[in-house]
Amino acid sequence: MSWLIERCPHASRLLLCIGHSHVACVARAAEVTGFPLRALNFWEMPGATMPGEDGPRLSTELAQQLREYRGPIFSMIGGGAHGVLGLLVHPRRFDFVLPEQPLLPLDPAAEILPALAVRRMLESLMADYVALMSQVRQLCVGSMFHIESPPPYADAVRMHADVPWGMFPGMCHEISPAHFRYRLWRLHSQITSEWCAAAGVTFVRCPSEAIDENGFMLEPYYGDGAHANVAYGELVLEQMRNLA
Amino acid sequence: MNHPYLGIDDRQRWSRAMAGRASTDIDPVSLPPFRIEPGTRVVTAGSCFAQHVARHLREHGQACFDTEPAHPLLTAALAEAFGYGIYSARYGNIYTSRQLLQLWRRATGAFVPADDIWQGDGAWFDPFRPTIQPGGFSSLHEYHEDRRQHFAAVRRAFGEMDVFIFTLGLTECWSARTDGAVYPLCPGVAAGHFEADQHVLLNLTVDEVVADLRAFTKEVRAINPHMKMILTVSPVALAATATKQHVLLASTCSKAVLRVAAEQLSRLPGVYYFPAYEIVNAAGREYLAEDRRSILEHGVRQVMSLFFRHVLGDTAAPSAPAVRDDFLQHGQAVIDTLCDEQRLDQPANPTVGAYRQEGNDE
């Protein structure tokens, strides 16, 4: 299957982004604005990856297509591991002190885990995505950019309403405190940006227009508990356009 | 003729208790005044040999009273690296009686050392647990939060334990000249800096060890009056001595001091001496590794088998099966569901040819 060429009538001037669910808001924004974007969402590409010894592997077909692609590649691979670890409150509440912003308020009801231990947990949740990013980097002929995942939204009540809790009977139905989610997002970005620096990939911070003074996502850009909306996607598209 | 040695028990006579016996047949353990029963809250501490004690207790179904347990999201390797699950709380090895007493006093606020934190290589280190946090604490705030939590765990462990197993390891320790605070490791070894004008070598005497442990027992029993204590002396020789003598002499002297102190303390009510040191040493080289210092696993097993036979009640409670933490699966399921909804909203063909923004519509 050709993911890159056959369905792209304007292949010569399109931008390519590849990743997981965070691709969706950017793809919708491209549709709204008419931006020539080829958005590859692994969720929509059965067979594009396969299990490997050290994590998922890109299929031979996709690898070949990426190898032949000459333009810049924008990665939105992964970007949800911090949500897996901390969107919900663990039955044994935990928190950690963010090394770069140690004075952020802590959850007073939580036990404090070593920041490095939390980082190691997060790294293990990100490992499969980093494996994919590494392969894309190796295949990428042109520049590669990685788009930071959207910042967390502070209002847990609003987020709570967006989760279909009925699908998850018997599990904790509490959204974690905002500052805890913010810390995990920062840590996630820290890990990702360090990987980018080592791999020669440009790490693209989230659009400054989308965040408030405390680093949380502004309401106009809220999508659901884990994603941003099309307005946020438009801001990212603008970033991509300026970088390409 | 009549004399006190006539009619003594076989175990009191070398020719019958020791001579010609296999190491595994030597049993010098005396009858304990109390036993560890299922449900007994056991706290362990001490030198590195104490880690073996705690591990074997766990494997035998006698889990220690863990007041600072690893979070279930941490893997076993990660938990161990951060000092969880080794002892009842994350205090690391406690090599000396002075260090033990100091831990209790620090945890209760009775003693606040002047030299309370070390900084280096962009991290902060606890002088009294310099290896507890790989790479050190990432910020001063993290250090203080962790220590506040740790002290609470220490207070609970010592304040609620039924039996305290303490393995005496060393008499040598380094101390701050200003206030007498003792360090588990000489400053500069794992973290910090050694300064001859600030740090001084102590080599505890029998009286000092006894006084430390008497004070510890008295102070803990003030809030936990039923606490009982099992003392052992580590059979592991000194790795090095800062005294100007051969390490073998220093090690022998140190163990002798600790052994005599343990003997004196075992005469106190609710204190029992378990002869781990003797069990290993009676076997000569048999239980020692090539370095003549490390105790081989079968030596540790022999010590612990005698411990279980004499000190543990008949039926140890089975180990509680590890509770599988499915939190991450739950978290993944919720995120995946939200991702599904993102997919449902995705346009049929995300590639749009007509880019309408100004300056891009070629």
Side-chain angles (χ1 to χ4, degrees), chain B residues 142-224:
Chain B
E142 182 182 42
Y143 168 78
H144 285 302
E145 285 292 330
D146 183 87
R147 200 178 56 169
R148 175 187 57 76
Q149 192 168 263
H150 171 61
F151 280 168
V154 170
R155 289 194 300 272
R156 182 165 174 242
F158 291 172
E160 298 179 18
M161 63 187 173
D162 299 312
V163 173
F164 181 48
I165 304 174
F166 184 55
T167 301
L168 292 151
L170 299 176
T171 53
E172 282 186 33
C173 57
W174 288 87
S175 172
R177 290 184 189 272
T178 50
D179 57 7
V182 292
Y183 306 96
L185 293 173
C186 181
V189 172
H193 301 283
F194 178 76
E195 302 289 349
D197 62 339
Q198 295 174 25
H199 304 125
V200 61
L201 177 69
L202 296 184
N203 200 359
L204 300 174
T205 64
V206 171
D207 287 346
E208 288 171 324
V209 174
V210 170
D212 288 340
L213 289 179
R214 274 181 173 273
F216 173 81
T217 306
K218 180 182 177 185
E219 292 176 22
V220 171
R221 282 182 176 161
I223 61 162
N224 183 7

Side-chain angles (χ1 to χ4, degrees), chain A residues 32 34 44 90 92 112 115 241, chain B residues 71 142 149 325 354-356:
Chain A
V32 169
E44 301 292 321
H90 192 281
R92 207 171 120 186
I112 307 303
R241 190 173 69 87
Chain B
H71 194 281
E142 182 182 42
Q149 192 168 263
D325 192 304
Y355 181 41
R356 295 187 295 271

Side-chain angles (χ1 to χ4, degrees), chain A residues 111-112, chain B residues 66-69 82-84 87-94 99 102-104 106-108 126 128-129 132-133 137 142-158:
Chain A
E111 67 178 287
I112 307 303
Chain B
D66 196 350
T67 57
E68 200 174 6
F82 282 85
Y84 291 100
Y87 298 112
S88 297
R90 293 175 69 211
Y91 34 70
N93 289 347
I94 298 176
Q99 194 190 337
Q102 176 179 279
L103 171 63
W104 172 248
R106 288 172 62 233
T108 54
D126 186 340
F128 309 103
R129 302 182 295 163
I132 204 68
Q133 194 96 342
F137 294 91
E142 182 182 42
Y143 168 78
H144 285 302
E145 285 292 330
D146 183 87
R147 200 178 56 169
R148 175 187 57 76
Q149 192 168 263
H150 171 61
F151 280 168
V154 170
R155 289 194 300 272
R156 182 165 174 242
F158 291 172

Side-chain angles (χ1 to χ4, degrees), chain A residues 71-95:
Chain A
I73 293 180
F74 292 87
S75 159
M76 295 179 198
I77 294 170
H82 53 296
V84 172
L85 185 58
L87 176 65
L88 306 181
V89 170
H90 192 281
R92 207 171 120 186
R93 296 179 83 103
F94 70 96
D95 205 338

